[in-house]
């Protein structure tokens, strides 16, 4: 359990009386960075351990979700570093195409300008200028949290090396026929003026309208329903099911499209559900993905009726209206023409919104660049199925397969100026040439580069290997690829994880980008509600760090981190973690002032007391337990195990049990002091990955060594002493029961009372002084009167309460409480004995009554015992 290096004499054990995080955290972090503890050496012979940071947006700042994820990653990497791995936590930021462009455009708007006033070159230069001046504030916030990242390796998704990686993989995919250009229906944001992918669309229920419109006249009439009446201007057919006898006579005929001078055909298509609505649907191929497919099957024309800002372009009375104005105007015109059969308002339906600006997305026919994902997605699915990649927790596999096995081709082009410009040149005669980073683009009259940029997820999908120097075969790539584990939220399983899997397997000759995908949940407020500024429950973690310290925030987040499960968090929980940090500080300070030492080897077990052997046995069990939980990514459980071991067993029991030994002095005190030093040394190292700052201060003071960051991770020595564990458990039972009785009698925890202790029927005789200290028992004295006698776990404790409580008043109170419990028992018993009630009552109601009965019976037993223990009178 001790370090391999020779223990040095402890430094001056004096510590400030109170722990002040603000006084130590910043200085400690800068010392760690200056000493290079977090850097990674690809030339070392140590086994590698690699994690990439999920690159935060350059526009972003640290929120609780970041703090949560970073705490988990930092704990993993700090532990592995202590275990002797060459550990790389790769930092960096994402250029965040749409988000960053929006930020800079808003800044320009304050000057009364748009990006078009600057032109593309100057606008991009302006974005770079903003990035250098204002972007990346999250880096400083990461330092506040204690992130042990290799800062010298920090990357940006648009730096030169990563840009070369993007161009390289684009050209390879293009040359392999896996990137193509085609006109398809895409999700279009009229605010951001760009295509967005399916996974960047957020759906929510909106109030809309459903109108039923009569197409055609006389016997050639069909009724269709729509929530987007404005798109009827682009209808090129009405579709019915081929087996729908109601419309067989109309299939192949043309009917009048209302409000236009056009006629459109009636087509038969199996996509139509004859049981839904009227069984007839309008077909608008240029403005609906399903209609687009119907149009392709029936060779229908694509009529676009809106521009990029969702303004009507069709000549006529509606031209120039935005989509919502046009919707109202068209419905009014149809109503005036007698074409409205039915109207339903409000009509609640699911509507897609841009995840960045919340504008309603418009399906739009557009010429875009696409990745043919079929073979890439199959490889990504196979890598999990054959065990090369493990998803944790395992139940998340089904969500991964449901996505990866049904992935549509990926629209990778965005109509933005900020981002990786698509490395394709178009020639005067329709030529298309993809250009790699070392290629010269074609020149001459009529040649121009494609104006679109790549989806941000295209470049971040290369992150596990592009950050290591790919496409060059660098020593870092050889050492640190594949990554050991990816830690990320289940909410970006589809955004990011799937992209990295596809690109990593493709670019790295079938080697997946990581061995394990460890998915965590989202941080929510203490009531389980999503945190949002609009809800008024968003929290800036820096505020909590300022108030309670970074360790308190980290420990709170780690203690809620069950794999794949959302994490509720409230400020009172952070206060509790601050109290834990203070407990560690105060107890360690007390121990160091009273003989705790790391000097020399541990004494032989024969020299130790049962208390010493018990705490060492529990210490080793905790080391083994924490190790197993780390390997299973069970941060909540391991944090809880450390909390209870440190607070309950070390500080509340072992330190308290050892006080009499320390006060007595002598050889026994030296033995226990060395044991306590060992326990503190190991406990602080176990706690360090999660609460690094307080443990660094305490451990270096205790041991006199350089830093716990580079200390050895504790190992289970195998020492166990079941007999000592049973003995101390017996002692704890005695103390706990008597303490409970004292509390029931209204005695204060520190209040001393005369007491007689008989341990003759137990193996606890050697602990009498400690038990007396823990129970605040004074010596009997000549006037001792046993007013309460408690038989507890073989021991007998007699207390003289004559001078401490009002016996008649206490008897009256306890009798009243017992009578209330008896009444509760009678009522619950009566209900549970009523067959008619049991037949009708829900299971949860019956279970609740059974619980009330069990509690009443337990209360009666407890109160009866307390009454029996009271003196007469």
């Amino acid at each position: 359990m001790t370090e391999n290096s020779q223990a040095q004499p402890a430094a001056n054990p004096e510590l400030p009386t109170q722990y002040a995080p603000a006084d130590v955290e910043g200085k400690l972090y800068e010392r760690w960075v200056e000493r290079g503890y977090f850097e990674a050496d690809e030339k070392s012979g140590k086994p590698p351990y690699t994690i990439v940071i999920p690159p935060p947006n350059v526009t972003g700042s640290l929120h609780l979700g970041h703090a949560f994820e970073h705490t988990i990653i930092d704990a993993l990497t700090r532990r592995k570093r202590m275990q002797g791995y060459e550990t790389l936590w790769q930092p960096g930021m994402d250029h965040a195409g749409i988000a960053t462009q929006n930020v800079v455009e808003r800044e320009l708007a304050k000057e009364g300008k748009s990006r078009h006033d600057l032109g593309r070159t100057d606008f991009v230069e302006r974005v770079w200028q903003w990035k250098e001046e204002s972007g990346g504030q999250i880096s400083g916030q990461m330092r506040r949290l204690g992130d042990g990242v290799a800062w010298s390796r920090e990357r940006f998704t648009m730096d030169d090396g990563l840009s070369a990686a993007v161009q390289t993989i684009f050209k390879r995919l293009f040359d392999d026929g896996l990137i193509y250009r085609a006109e398809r229906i895409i999700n279009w944001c009229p605010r951001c003026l760009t295509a967005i992918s399916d996974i960047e669309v957020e759906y929510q229920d909106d109030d809309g309208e459903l109108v039923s419109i009569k197409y055609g006249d006389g016997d050639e009439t069909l009724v269709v329903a729509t929530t987007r009446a404005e798109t009827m201007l682009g209808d090129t057919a009405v579709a019915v099911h081929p087996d729908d006898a109601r419309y067989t006579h109309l299939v192949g005929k043309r009917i009048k499209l209302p409000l236009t001078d056009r006629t459109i055909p009636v087509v038969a298509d199996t996509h139509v559900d004859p049981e839904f609505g009227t069984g007839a649907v309008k077909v608008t191929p240029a403005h609906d993905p399903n209609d687009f497919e119907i149009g392709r099957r029936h060779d229908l024309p694509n009529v676009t009726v809106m521009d990029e800002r969702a303004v009507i372009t069709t000549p006529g009375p509606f031209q120039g209206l935005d989509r919502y104005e046009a919707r109202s105007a068209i419905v009014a015109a149809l109503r005036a023409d007698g074409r409205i059969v039915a109207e339903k308002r409000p009509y609640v339906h699911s509507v897609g919104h841009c995840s960045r600006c919340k504008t309603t997305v418009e399906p739009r026919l557009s010429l875009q660049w696409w990745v043919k994902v079929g073979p890439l997605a199959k490889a990504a699915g196979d890598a999990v199925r054959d065990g090369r990649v493990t998803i944790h927790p395992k139940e998340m596999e089904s969500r991964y397969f449901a996505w990866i096995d049904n992935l549509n081709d990926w629209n990778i082009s965005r109509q933005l100026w900020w981002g990786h410009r698509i490395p394709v040149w178009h020639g005067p005669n329709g030529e298309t040439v993809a250009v790699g980073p070392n290629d010269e683009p074609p020149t001459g009259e009529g040649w121009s580069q494609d104006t679109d940029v790549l989806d941000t997820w295209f470049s971040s999908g290369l992150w596990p290997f592009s950050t290591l120097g790919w496409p060059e075969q660098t020593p870092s790539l050889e050492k640190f690829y594949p990554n050991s584990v990816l830690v990320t939220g289940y909410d970006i399983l589809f955004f990011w994880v799937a992209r990295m899997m596809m690109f990593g397997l493709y670019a790295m000759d079938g080697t997946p980008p990581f061995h394990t995908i460890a998915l965590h949940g989202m941080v929510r407020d203490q009531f389980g509600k999503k945190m949002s500024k609009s809800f008024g429950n968003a929290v800036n973690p820096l505020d909590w760090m300022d108030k309670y310290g970074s360790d308190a925030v980290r420990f709170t987040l780690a203690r809620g981190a069950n794999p794949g499960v959302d994490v509720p968090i409230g400020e009172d929980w952070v206060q509790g973690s601050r109290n834990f940090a203070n407990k560690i500080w105060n107890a360690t300070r007390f121990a160091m002032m009273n003989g705790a030492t790391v000097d020399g080897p541990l004494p032989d077990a024969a020299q130790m007391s049962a208390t010493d052997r018990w705490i060492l046995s529990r210490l080793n069990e905790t080391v083994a337990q924490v190790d197993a939980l780390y390997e299973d990514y069970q941060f909540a459980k391991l944090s809880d195990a450390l909390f209870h071991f440190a607070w309950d067993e070390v500080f509340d029991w072992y330190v308290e049990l050892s006080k009499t030994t320390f006060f007595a002095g002598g050889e026994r005190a030296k033995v226990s002091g060395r044991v306590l030093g060992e326990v503190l040394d190991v406990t602080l190292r176990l706690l360090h990955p999660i609460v690094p700052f307080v443990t660094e201060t305490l451990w270096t003071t205790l041991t006199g060594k350089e830093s716990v960051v580079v200390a050895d991770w504790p190992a289970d020595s195998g020492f166990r002493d079941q007999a000592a564990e049973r003995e101390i458990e017996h002692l704890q039972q005695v103390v706990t029961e008597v303490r409970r009785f004292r509390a029931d009698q209204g005695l204060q925890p520190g209040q001393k009372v005369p007491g007689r202790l008989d341990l003759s029927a137990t193996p606890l005789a050697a602990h009498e002084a400690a038990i007396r200290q823990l129970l605040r028992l004074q010596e009997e004295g000549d006037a001792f009167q046993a007013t309460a006698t408690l038989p507890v776990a073989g021991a007998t404790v007699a207390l003289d309460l004559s001078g401490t409580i009002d016996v008649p008043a206490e008897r009256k109170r306890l009798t009243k409480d017992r009578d209330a419990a008896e009444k509760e028992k009678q009522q619950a018993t009566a209900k549970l004995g009523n067959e008619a009630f049991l037949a009708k009552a829900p299971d949860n109601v019956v279970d609740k009554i059974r619980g009330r009965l069990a509690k009443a019976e337990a209360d009666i037993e407890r109160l009866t015992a307390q009454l029996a223990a009271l003196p007469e009178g």
Side-chain angles (χ1 to χ4, degrees), residues 462-710:
L462 314 179
W463 194 247
F465 50 94
S466 63
T467 52
L468 298 173
W470 187 91
E472 301 299 324
Q473 296 303 305
T474 65
S476 288
L477 188 66
E478 183 178 351
K479 176 80 173 182
F480 296 113
Y481 188 90
N483 294 180
S484 305
V485 61
L486 173 75
V487 177
T488 192
Y490 65 71
D491 54 317
I492 58 172
L493 179 62
F494 314 131
F495 285 84
W496 190 42
V497 179
R499 312 304 191 202
M500 287 189 289
M501 286 286 284
M502 291 191 295
F503 281 168
L505 289 159
Y506 174 79
M508 301 301 292
D509 300 321
T511 301
F514 20 72
H515 298 302
T516 301
I517 302 168
L519 297 171
H520 59 73
M522 300 172 65
V523 177
R524 297 183 178 272
D525 71 13
Q526 59 190 346
F527 306 108
K529 190 174 182 180
K530 180 180 179 181
M531 285 193 173
S532 167
K533 290 181 180 178
S534 61
F535 294 155
N537 63 350
V539 173
N540 182 347
L542 295 177
D543 293 340
W544 282 352
M545 289 184 214
D546 290 340
K547 199 170 182 180
Y548 305 111
S550 297
D551 284 334
V553 175
R554 290 171 61 115
F555 192 74
T556 304
L557 291 166
R559 207 171 177 192
N562 289 297
V565 178
D566 289 345
V567 183
I569 184 172
E571 186 169 0
D572 55 337
W573 303 343
V574 186
Q575 292 175 3
S577 295
R578 186 269 315 273
N579 295 343
F580 179 51
N582 288 341
K583 182 77 170 181
I584 299 169
W585 181 274
N586 294 332
T588 303
R589 180 175 177 273
F590 171 84
M592 292 167 61
M593 292 173 62
N594 288 275
T597 178
V598 295
D599 296 344
L602 275 174
D604 292 335
Q607 298 177 270
M608 298 180 192
S609 67
T611 308
D612 295 333
R613 297 195 304 277
W614 162 74
I615 197 63
L616 288 177
S617 183
R618 292 295 306 129
L619 177 67
N620 279 285
E621 181 61 37
T622 301
V623 170
Q625 182 183 12
V626 168
D627 273 334
L629 292 169
Y630 259 115
E631 296 305 315
D632 199 33
Y633 304 98
Q634 297 281 357
F635 284 90
K637 291 181 179 179
L638 73 88
S639 298
D640 214 45
L642 286 169
F643 174 87
H644 288 295
F645 175 72
W647 191 306
D648 299 343
E649 298 187 89
V650 179
F651 303 142
D652 278 359
W653 283 106
Y654 181 73
V655 170
E656 292 298 321
L657 284 168
S658 301
K659 279 182 179 179
T660 53
T661 302
F662 292 141
F663 295 160
E667 194 60 32
R668 292 291 300 276
K670 290 182 181 179
V671 170
S672 291
R674 179 64 190 90
V675 170
L676 180 54
E678 178 76 4
V679 171
L680 291 175
D681 171 14
V682 173
T683 302
L684 291 170
R685 282 187 279 150
L686 287 174
L687 284 165
H688 172 72
I690 298 175
V691 285
F693 294 108
V694 67
T695 52
E696 171 80 342
T697 305
L698 294 173
W699 189 85
T700 53
T701 305
L702 171 70
T703 66
K705 294 180 182 177
E706 179 184 347
S707 174
V708 70
V709 178
V710 290

Side-chain angles (χ1 to χ4, degrees), residues 211-226 232 235-241 244-258 264-269 272 274 276-283 334 338-342:
V211 293
S212 298
I213 309 168
K214 182 173 66 175
Y215 283 30
D217 295 295
D219 293 337
E220 297 181 353
T221 297
L222 287 166
V223 175
V224 301
T226 182
M232 67 163 292
D235 287 358
T236 56
V238 173
V240 298
H241 194 276
D244 194 335
R246 292 173 295 176
Y247 304 119
T248 303
H249 67 290
L250 291 177
V251 174
K253 293 186 177 181
R254 300 184 72 86
I255 60 175
K256 181 78 165 52
L257 177 65
I264 57 176
V266 178
V267 300
D269 196 280
V272 180
F276 184 78
T278 64
V281 297
K282 60 192 287 296
V283 182
L334 289 166
R339 293 283 174 177
I340 299 295
V341 175

Side-chain angles (χ1 to χ4, degrees), residues 313-334:
T313 57
T314 303
F318 311 112
Q319 187 174 15
L321 300 179
D322 75 24
R323 53 185 164 169
Y324 301 117
E325 295 170 335
R327 183 176 301 171
S328 298
I330 287 172
V331 170
L334 289 166

